[in-house]
Amino acid sequence: MTNIAILGFGVVGSGIAEVITQNSEIIKNKIGDEINIKYILDLREFPDSPFADKIVHDFNIILNDDEVSIVAEAMGGLHPAFDFSEQALKKGKSVVTSNKHVVAEKGDVLLKTAAENGVRYLFEASVGGGIPVLRPLGTCLAANKINEINGILNGTTNYILTQMIDFGKTFEVALKEAQMKGYAEANPTADVDGIDACRKICILAAIAFGKLINPSEVSTVGISNIRLNDVKNASEAGYAIKLIGQAKDINGKMSVSVAPRLVPNTNLLSKVDDVFNGILVNGNASDDIIFIGKGAGKMPTASAVVADIVDIAGRPEIKNQQWAQADKNDLVPSDDVVSAYYVCTTSSEDAVKSAFNEYSALSLKDGEFSFITPAMKKSAFNEMASKIDVISSFEIL
Ligand code: HSE
């Protein structure tokens, strides 16, 4: 029997307990071992829960119990989640988590601690919720040089955009629904401002390129500047606007960013709606591979966390990632990244012609002129765009 402890009995923690209990026979048949939840750490009491007798309030009970070999951290936030994870690894306990905040900021430290203590630190659920993507990227695609990853990485914002665009709901109503469905972070500005997607693209980039870039170094834009007019213009021109996390290899350096982008209708990511996430990976041998599934929510996220527990209990051959910390020399400055742009302006077409010279006109409605530029460096775009009155602009994927 493998004894585990769950840290945090919120949306994800309760999902972990539910999946382990509901699928105990299936898991036992797969690995020939039983997973037993010995403790659940939370500040609150849960008198009506079937797991009420497992609740403890002191992490030291878990830390000092040698029978507990795996800790599932589902607390969210950086502290004390990082500190508890580090202490557990140092005590010879493996740790699994869905906590992208900790993995993106401290994953390199915790992987080193895990290696030093001969235990494992797995975090499949930290990107893409229930989608198996980290392990396939690190193992099944190991023969490739990864050229580029583009992902819809945040279920809450994809849900909000879909509900606003397809069902005409307001931002506030759609966000409330995402919160009630358990998709949103405790503070949903992390979702709306692209911070959550940023953490996830940093994790994907670390697996693809072996170096962990700190999220604070990544150019990150959220969804709050997307207007319905832009969505309509994009749609008429054959694009969907999606919040995209992008990691590219450019001549051996990394370019990592998060921003709303116009995705052509010919790209499968344009069809990934609602809480679904989609991650498109381009390898130099595999070509394009797309991973799609529910990127948030109690049970899909728990599915991935419990899979990590099952792998640790029953599959010792699954190895830890090995990451170094990226420094500035590993990164392409965002000004040098080349892209075509969608622009909407109140300036006249003559002014656009004089600023950009070349462009493809999209529409002229209600005093707003929209157009698409040729591919150019961000620095060149910013210089040209400064000559007109821009209402909105987005890169094109
Ligand atoms: N708030 C996150 C999202 C949860 O909406 O995608 C899953 O990481």
Side-chain angles (χ1 to χ4, degrees):
M1 186 191 307
T2 298
N3 285 295
I4 72 153
I6 301 171
L7 311 187
F9 201 47
V11 173
V12 178
S14 60
I16 295 169
E18 208 171 311
V19 171
I20 289 175
T21 310
Q22 205 174 307
N23 296 342
S24 63
E25 276 304 303
I26 293 168
I27 293 169
K28 194 172 166 189
N29 289 339
K30 277 187 185 150
I31 58 168
D33 188 18
E34 201 174 321
I35 308 292
N36 176 50
I37 302 168
K38 190 159 184 190
Y39 305 109
I40 298 173
L41 180 77
D42 205 288
L43 292 172
R44 301 161 289 180
E45 298 289 352
F46 295 86
D48 301 328
S49 162
F51 301 99
D53 60 329
K54 316 272 186 196
I55 300 285
V56 294
H57 306 299
D58 179 2
F59 178 60
N60 287 311
I61 295 171
I62 295 167
L63 200 58
N64 295 324
D65 186 335
D66 291 338
E67 281 184 2
V68 174
S69 58
I70 303 175
V71 170
E73 184 272 298
M75 307 177 77
L78 193 53
H79 298 290
F82 163 71
D83 315 83
F84 287 178
S85 300
E86 189 178 44
Q87 288 171 39
L89 293 169
K90 284 184 174 166
K91 271 274 192 181
K93 302 179 196 299
S94 289
V95 174
V96 300
T97 189
S98 57
N99 189 330
K100 50 269 156 144
H101 195 163
V102 170
V103 180
E105 302 238 351
K106 297 282 189 183
D108 53 338
V109 176
L110 293 177
L111 284 169
K112 191 161 174 274
T113 309
E116 284 164 3
N117 291 277
V119 288
R120 281 180 288 166
Y121 182 57
L122 299 182
F123 38 83
E124 183 60 57
S126 65
V127 178
I131 308 172
V133 60
L134 300 187
R135 204 102 82 240
L137 180 61
T139 55
C140 313
L141 291 173
N144 286 262
K145 168 180 173 287
I146 302 298
N147 295 319
E148 184 165 345
I149 300 173
N150 286 291
I152 295 170
L153 299 171
N154 183 265
T156 301
T157 45
N158 209 35
Y159 180 86
I160 292 172
L161 288 175
T162 308
Q163 295 299 314
M164 286 174 69
I165 294 163
D166 292 355
F167 303 103
K169 292 184 186 166
T170 63
F171 175 89
E172 288 73 21
V173 167
L175 172 59
K176 194 104 211 133
E177 285 178 4
Q179 286 175 303
M180 281 166 59
K181 286 172 186 276
Y183 302 157
E185 298 301 299
N187 178 357
T189 53
D191 298 295
V192 173
D193 292 347
I195 297 161
D196 179 76
C198 175
R199 291 172 181 144
K200 291 167 178 168
I201 195 66
C202 290
I203 297 169
L204 286 165
I207 292 178
F209 307 128
K211 292 205 172 166
L212 182 64
I213 171 173
N214 192 285
S216 62
E217 306 279 340
V218 173
S219 160
T220 303
V221 180
I223 63 165
S224 50
N225 53 353
I226 302 176
R227 306 169 315 134
L228 274 180
N229 271 0
D230 298 317
V231 171
K232 283 183 198 145
N233 293 338
S235 169
E236 283 165 19
Y239 299 88
I241 302 187
K242 296 286 183 188
L243 183 66
I244 300 287
Q246 182 177 78
K248 275 187 190 182
D249 176 307
I250 302 179
N251 302 324
K253 292 196 176 199
M254 286 191 278
S255 158
V256 184
S257 62
V258 175
R261 289 183 163 91
L262 267 68
V263 182
N265 287 344
T266 47
N267 185 319
L268 277 174
L269 287 178
S270 70
K271 313 282 188 277
V272 176
D273 288 331
D274 261 306
V275 71
F276 284 84
N277 282 190
I279 298 126
L280 182 60
V281 179
N282 180 274
N284 67 346
S286 64
D287 209 322
D288 281 346
I289 309 261
I290 189 159
F291 301 85
I292 296 177
K294 286 195 170 165
K298 174 175 166 172
M299 297 305 265
T301 308
S303 157
V305 178
V306 177
D308 280 348
I309 295 171
V310 169
D311 275 349
I312 291 172
R315 303 194 174 103
E317 70 279 6
I318 304 283
K319 300 274 188 303
N320 283 325
Q321 298 285 327
Q322 286 181 312
W323 296 347
Q325 184 74 47
D327 63 41
K328 284 223 158 59
N329 291 330
D330 296 311
L331 305 175
V332 179
S334 63
D335 269 359
D336 291 352
V337 177
V338 172
S339 179
Y341 288 82
Y342 156 92
V343 185
C344 191
T345 175
T346 48
S347 300
S348 67
E349 188 167 354
D350 282 348
V352 169
K353 191 161 186 48
S354 123
F356 282 87
N357 195 26
E358 277 182 67
Y359 60 90
S360 307
L362 290 185
S363 76
L364 176 58
K365 283 190 275 224
D366 307 328
E368 294 185 2
F369 177 62
S370 60
F371 63 97
I372 288 179
T373 73
M376 61 181 76
K377 280 190 178 180
K378 190 176 191 174
S379 52
F381 172 76
N382 285 340
E383 197 191 317
M384 293 178 192
S386 70
K387 296 176 185 156
I388 58 171
D389 293 319
V390 173
I391 309 171
S392 49
S393 69
F394 304 109
E395 285 177 41
I396 297 189
L397 195 63

